[in-house]
Amino acid sequence: MTPEIRKRALVDSFAKLDIRAQIKNPVMFLVYLSAIATTLIFFLGLFGIKDAGSAYVAAIAIILWLTVLFGNYAESIAEGRGKAQAAALRSTRKDVKAHRKLPDGTFEEVSSTDLRKGDIVRVVAGEQIPADGDVIAGAASVDESAITGESAPVIRESGGDRSAVTGGTNVLSDQLEIQVSNNPGESFLDKMISMVEGAARKKTPNEIALQIFLIALTLIFIVVCIALYAYSDFVAKQLGMSNPTSITSLVALLVCLAPTTIGALLSSIGIAGMSRLNDANVLAMSGRAIEAAGDVDILMLDKTGTITLGNRQASEFMPAPGVDEKELADAAQLSSLADQTAEGRSIVVLAKHYGIRERQHTENYHFIEFSARTKMSGVDYDGHEIRKGAVDAIAQYLAAKGKSIPEETYHHVDHVARLGGTPLVVVKDYEVMGVVYLKDIVKDGVAAQFSALRTMGIKTIMITGDNPVTAAAIAAEAGVDDFLAEATPEGKLDMIKKFQKAGHLVAMTGDGTNDAPALAQADVAVAMNTGTQAAKEAGNMVDLDSSPTKLIEIVRIGKQLLMTRGALTTFSFANDVAKYFAIIPAMFVGLFPQLGVLNIMGLSSGESAILSAIIYNALIIVALIPLALKGVKYRAVPAAQLLKRNLLVYGLGGVVAPFIAIKIIDLILHFTIGL
């Protein structure tokens, strides 16, 4: 909460006194009307109201206006960060010149606002990408720091799952041809601005349900207060005395009975939850998605990059019969000297453990780069041929010379697969040297994370293109509950539908066009920012960092939102118990002296009791703003245990705290102004 945000929130608090803004929150609208009513009573003194124009009425009116302003301030503070983020994003949005491709293949210079969906533009190094789209030709380094906050440039290229580009980012090298995917005003940046400033935030189903409940309670309390006034008036007439219950006190009772605390903070809790998601560099396309994240009980996670590091590492050399382990290491290292992949470098490093160091390749070495068609790589030198690659590829390579892979080597291959690794067969001059075991390294700590999720009742499912044997081994090591091997778009979609049909809420991540159907079906669908436009359109969240592990953090933020709302609702209702004991005896003790025994706080007078309760009612809103914005601390515990803790801390605490606070305020009023 920077000084700028606090200053803007203060101004917005008064701007929100507009009746059109107040009526959106029915509970606080009641306080708003009560403040107007007591103000009129003070100034006009109409209808023979006995305490009209008194300092007591003025004090009640002022406190009620402050209560409304405090509620406005809570919401404005929550909105403040989003507005600041939106202002920063707007500063990056510029009307730039674009080079649009004409049907004859030439290019014309137009304004970016003239571009329409389907247009093709060319962007060269040093230029800003004018609109969202997909790369259809070329590859380039792109600076996306204005959108993601990440200073390191990324590669965008045609074909594959890294073809989507965002308007407002800058091309640093080479050039791209981009097909525009959105019309003006519908860009990703426009959506970001709209979401982070809260303009497009719609109330979630749970928020709506809670608000309906709060409205129903408020209506009941209005009826109760009217009935109490009518009854006290009837009793007073029977006793031949004037009604000691004033309308001002009745209004104060109504405000204290109504659930104003949670009513004032409900909106800010939801806005703050979205802000926490923005801080995690995740853009939620709807508040419903954040809330659903707190309710999900099935997580579908990609293996590569989420559960495993994604870069396989050489772990062991398994020589063929009659081959020395050092000979295998020598051949594997020779074939990997020019291999700049993580796997290739790890083979070179592992071979050094056998004393094979400081080897320099020269012009006599002709390196064969890996090809998706051949599934092999290698080196030719001094009349020798070394190849390493997938089992089936090496088998075909040997078959051309009438040779085959020994049975013992196949045993090594099966063993590696059962361990969850990738086997690479190495051959030299068409003789099998052995197998390199590439291990898919499971990330540190993921097993503990999955265990915590299991404790919370969340089932984790690993999605992988590996064969079932390999998938089972990695799943066992990582500690996931289930896995989907040899995953296809249809397989993912069918699995999600099956879980949803059984009553589960499913969350998943994806980045490719083939993930779009499953993302569209999932309850919480996180698309990677580096992914295709189709994936981002299908998802209801976009991870600007493109981190597959972000899904776990999103679930935590969603659960924290629900925990915060539940805790503050419990605290709000528990608060009312103390306010009843403060106000009701004070209001009706003149008619029913027996009610004096309920003045267990020993409040000094009736007016002091009512003022103390309504002052507390206003101040508690301010006191709870930090908790509403920061959220209740996340704890990975079962729902029953969490409920028990919330009832103890926020339920019991909500009963005890106001008793103490109201008594302190009463003493201050008694010793300062003599009430």
Side-chain angles (χ1 to χ4, degrees):
M1 298 199 308
T2 63
E4 292 78 12
I5 290 177
R6 288 197 295 268
K7 183 178 179 181
R8 177 185 286 180
L10 190 61
V11 173
D12 288 348
S13 299
F14 286 91
K16 286 178 182 287
L17 290 176
D18 186 332
I19 191 171
R20 292 169 296 182
Q22 289 298 311
I23 204 167
K24 294 177 182 178
N25 187 336
V27 176
M28 293 308 294
F29 184 57
L30 173 69
V31 184
Y32 178 74
L33 294 178
S34 300
I36 293 174
T38 50
T39 303
L40 289 174
I41 291 172
F42 174 74
F43 282 112
L44 300 178
L46 299 177
F47 311 115
I49 299 170
K50 73 181 187 106
D51 60 352
S54 71
Y56 170 71
V57 179
I60 293 292
I62 291 170
I63 295 165
L64 290 178
W65 281 116
L66 287 175
T67 304
V68 175
L69 287 171
F70 292 160
N72 292 347
Y73 186 73
E75 186 174 24
S76 299
I77 280 286
E79 292 173 346
R81 182 171 176 82
K83 290 180 177 179
Q85 290 173 325
L89 288 170
R90 280 195 182 93
S91 67
T92 67
R93 185 172 58 184
K94 301 175 183 176
D95 181 12
V96 299
K97 294 297 181 182
H99 299 95
R100 181 167 59 187
K101 193 173 186 178
L102 298 173
D104 61 3
T106 60
F107 291 86
E108 65 171 346
E109 189 175 273
V110 298
S111 170
S112 58
T113 56
D114 294 329
L115 295 175
R116 295 294 181 271
K117 186 175 181 178
D119 287 345
I120 295 174
V121 295
R122 181 184 64 194
V123 187
V124 301
E127 293 183 348
Q128 187 178 99
I129 294 174
D132 294 356
D134 291 293
V135 178
I136 59 174
S141 177
V142 178
D143 175 13
E144 296 186 342
S145 57
I147 305 297
T148 66
E150 176 57 55
S151 58
V154 294
I155 301 298
R156 293 289 176 262
E157 57 189 347
S158 61
D161 294 338
R162 295 183 179 270
S163 60
V165 290
T166 305
T169 57
N170 297 288
V171 175
L172 301 180
S173 68
D174 304 293
Q175 71 175 35
L176 300 172
E177 280 194 18
I178 300 165
Q179 185 171 43
V180 177
S181 59
N182 292 309
N183 292 320
E186 301 173 356
S187 70
F188 184 64
L189 192 58
D190 290 319
K191 292 177 183 177
M192 280 188 70
I193 292 171
S194 180
M195 291 305 300
V196 298
E197 70 180 357
R201 195 187 89 87
K202 296 180 180 178
K203 293 187 184 298
T204 64
N206 282 351
E207 265 186 288
I208 294 171
L210 181 56
Q211 191 167 67
I212 291 172
F213 177 64
L214 297 180
I215 292 170
L217 280 179
T218 303
L219 291 173
I220 291 170
F221 290 136
I222 290 174
V223 174
V224 167
C225 288
I226 293 172
L228 283 173
Y229 184 79
Y231 181 67
S232 64
D233 191 57
F234 171 77
V235 173
K237 287 178 180 178
Q238 294 297 314
L239 296 175
M241 57 185 288
S242 61
N243 188 354
T245 305
S246 69
I247 290 181
T248 302
S249 296
L250 198 70
V251 169
L253 172 64
L254 176 59
V255 171
C256 286
L257 285 175
T260 51
T261 306
I262 187 60
L265 297 173
L266 183 60
S267 181
S268 60
I269 292 168
I271 295 170
M274 186 169 284
S275 181
R276 283 194 292 275
L277 207 62
N278 291 336
D279 290 341
N281 246 9
V282 177
L283 176 65
M285 298 304 180
S286 71
R288 182 190 295 265
I290 306 174
E291 197 168 86
D295 286 329
V296 296
D297 52 0
I298 301 289
L299 283 186
M300 295 179 65
L301 304 161
D302 277 330
K303 180 200 76 171
T304 305
T306 305
I307 295 171
T308 64
L309 293 174
N311 295 326
R312 296 168 298 177
Q313 304 289 308
S315 175
E316 185 181 352
F317 294 122
M318 300 177 173
V323 178
D324 183 71
E325 197 168 341
K326 187 174 181 179
E327 290 181 84
L328 171 58
D330 180 72
Q333 190 189 62
L334 274 172
S335 65
S336 304
L337 288 177
D339 188 348
Q340 295 304 308
T341 65
E343 292 88 345
R345 291 195 298 270
S346 71
I347 292 173
V348 174
V349 171
L350 183 60
K352 290 180 179 180
H353 296 167
Y354 295 84
I356 307 171
R357 297 174 178 273
E358 305 301 330
R359 172 181 269 153
Q360 299 293 329
H361 61 268
T362 67
E363 60 275 2
N364 293 331
Y365 290 75
H366 173 63
F367 291 97
I368 312 298
E369 293 187 3
F370 176 82
S371 163
R373 182 179 60 83
T374 63
K375 296 183 181 179
M376 290 190 304
S377 63
V379 61
D380 296 339
Y381 72 102
D382 299 334
H384 298 289
E385 287 185 17
I386 299 177
R387 297 289 185 272
K388 72 173 190 295
V391 180
D392 55 345
I394 294 296
Q396 290 181 9
Y397 172 75
L398 293 175
K401 294 291 184 178
K403 296 188 176 183
S404 62
I405 298 175
E407 191 66 30
E408 291 84 350
T409 301
Y410 274 118
H411 291 322
H412 289 319
V413 169
D414 291 339
H415 177 66
V416 170
R418 291 183 184 281
L419 291 174
T422 302
L424 291 181
V425 179
V426 180
V427 297
K428 181 176 182 181
D429 298 332
Y430 297 97
E431 296 295 331
V432 175
M433 303 294 290
V435 172
V436 179
Y437 170 20
L438 293 181
K439 187 176 182 181
D440 220 344
I441 307 296
V442 174
K443 290 183 177 180
D444 289 338
V446 295
Q449 285 183 320
F450 293 149
S451 177
L453 290 170
R454 193 176 300 111
T455 301
M456 298 168 63
I458 298 175
K459 181 178 181 179
T460 52
I461 299 173
M462 182 184 76
I463 304 173
T464 177
D466 292 338
N467 62 68
V469 174
T470 301
I474 296 175
E477 184 178 354
V480 295
D481 299 304
D482 201 354
F483 63 88
L484 176 63
E486 297 176 344
T488 63
E490 296 78 14
K492 297 177 191 177
L493 183 60
D494 290 343
M495 177 172 272
I496 292 173
K497 287 181 177 179
K498 182 184 74 173
F499 283 122
Q500 289 175 332
K501 190 175 181 180
H504 298 283
L505 288 178
V506 183
M508 75 162 288
T509 60
D511 58 1
T513 301
N514 62 349
D515 290 323
L519 287 171
Q521 183 66 34
D523 299 286
V524 178
V526 184
M528 301 294 103
N529 190 43
T530 56
T532 62
Q533 201 67 34
K536 290 199 278 189
E537 290 288 340
N540 50 24
M541 291 188 185
V542 177
D543 177 17
L544 301 180
D545 294 331
S546 300
S547 170
T549 57
K550 193 69 68 69
L551 182 57
I552 297 174
E553 187 175 352
I554 289 169
V555 170
R556 287 175 177 165
I557 292 172
K559 287 195 174 294
Q560 187 183 34
L561 170 65
L562 297 181
M563 288 163 57
T564 303
R565 187 186 297 153
L568 291 183
T569 301
T570 303
F571 186 86
S572 176
F573 288 134
N575 261 227
D576 291 342
V577 174
K579 289 184 282 187
Y580 302 157
F581 276 96
I583 289 186
I584 292 179
M587 285 185 64
F588 300 105
V589 72
L591 291 175
F592 306 102
Q594 299 88 343
L595 288 176
V597 299
L598 295 179
N599 185 17
I600 59 177
M601 287 183 272
L603 302 179
S604 54
S605 69
E607 288 186 347
S608 175
I610 293 169
L611 278 172
S612 298
I614 204 162
I615 288 172
Y616 171 79
N617 192 62
L619 294 179
I620 195 61
I621 295 173
V622 180
L624 291 175
I625 288 175
L627 183 61
L629 298 182
K630 187 178 180 181
V632 173
K633 186 177 179 181
Y634 171 82
R635 297 174 187 273
V637 296
Q641 186 176 338
L642 187 64
L643 177 62
K644 183 179 178 181
R645 182 182 181 278
N646 279 351
L647 288 175
L648 180 64
V649 175
Y650 297 99
L652 183 59
V655 172
V656 173
F659 273 95
I660 298 171
I662 289 173
K663 180 59 180 177
I664 292 172
I665 296 170
D666 173 72
L667 291 172
I668 293 171
L669 292 175
H670 178 68
F671 288 110
T672 54
I673 59 177
L675 284 179

